[in-house]
Amino acid sequence: MDVSGILIVIMAVLFACGVYAMLERSLTRVLIGFLLLGNAANLLLLIVMGRPGLSPFFGTSDKDRMSDPLPQALTLTAIVITFAVSAFLLALIYRSWQLGQADTVEDDETDLAVRGRGAAREEDLDDEVELENADDAVTTDFPDVDTSPIVVLHHRDVAGIRDDAPTDSPDGGGGR
């Protein structure tokens, strides 16, 4: 197995462990999972960069021997984003520890009430879907109007209209 194959396996393991850790209720595990995902994303960009080359400064060497600067810029951006979100998660963990001496996210009464309202709302939505299905038999938006609401104007209707655009004729020609 060559170097890029090993990096792909490591990246896949980091992604899998990061997603698994983020599914926990503990904020510390969410932070660890996010850090693993950030490192996996950096490895992905390293793999995408391809074979290393010379530094990408204009005029220093041949263009064909330079490495692509875009994955390098994306990696720096990913590092900065990972750092910022990690700092935010650390602040959340610290505040959660101050308030409740635990960093586990628990359901409280408000969450349970919202979940109960959501179940009731789903039942209401089911009733609305039944009404929408009953409305599908109507083929127009104007069921009580006998004429079409769209009126096409021609140059003979209004003097200011120029009607010199080419039109299709029934005989297949593209004339006027």
Side-chain angles (χ1 to χ4, degrees):
M1 183 177 270
D2 60 344
V3 174
S4 64
I6 293 171
L7 285 178
I8 290 173
V9 170
I10 292 172
M11 180 200 61
V13 168
L14 284 175
F15 269 122
C17 292
V19 169
Y20 179 75
M22 287 184 76
L23 293 176
E24 295 291 327
R25 307 269 292 169
S26 170
L27 290 176
T28 305
R29 290 182 188 235
V30 170
L31 174 66
I32 291 170
F34 184 76
L35 291 173
L36 289 173
L37 283 178
N39 288 326
N42 291 337
L43 274 178
L44 173 68
L45 291 170
L46 183 69
I47 293 168
V48 168
M49 185 169 50
R51 183 175 301 276
L54 299 175
S55 59
F57 293 116
F58 184 72
T60 58
S61 64
D62 186 27
K63 288 183 191 178
D64 297 333
R65 298 181 59 209
M66 288 183 188
S67 61
D68 188 13
L70 181 64
Q72 296 172 12
L74 290 174
T75 302
L76 285 174
T77 306
I79 290 169
V80 170
I81 291 171
T82 303
F83 177 74
V85 174
S86 299
F88 178 70
L89 282 172
L90 279 172
L92 283 178
I93 292 168
Y94 178 71
R95 185 67 177 155
S96 173
W97 186 260
Q98 274 185 335
L99 292 176
Q101 297 297 319
D103 69 340
T104 304
V105 178
E106 305 264 339
D107 287 338
D108 58 356
E109 294 83 21
T110 308
D111 291 336
L112 297 173
V114 169
R115 188 178 301 149
R117 282 193 312 234
R121 179 72 180 138
E122 286 180 14
E123 292 173 4
D124 293 341
L125 288 176
D126 291 340
D127 296 339
E128 288 179 16
V129 169
E130 291 172 7
L131 291 175
E132 287 176 4
N133 291 339
D135 289 342
D136 286 342
V138 178
T139 59
T140 180
D141 289 336
F142 305 96
D144 297 332
V145 178
D146 293 334
T147 61
S148 173
I150 299 174
V151 177
V152 178
L153 298 176
H154 296 284
H155 68 281
R156 60 182 166 267
D157 299 328
V158 178
I161 294 180
R162 288 184 47 214
D163 196 14
D164 58 353
T167 59
D168 293 332
S169 61
D171 60 359
R176 293 196 59 187

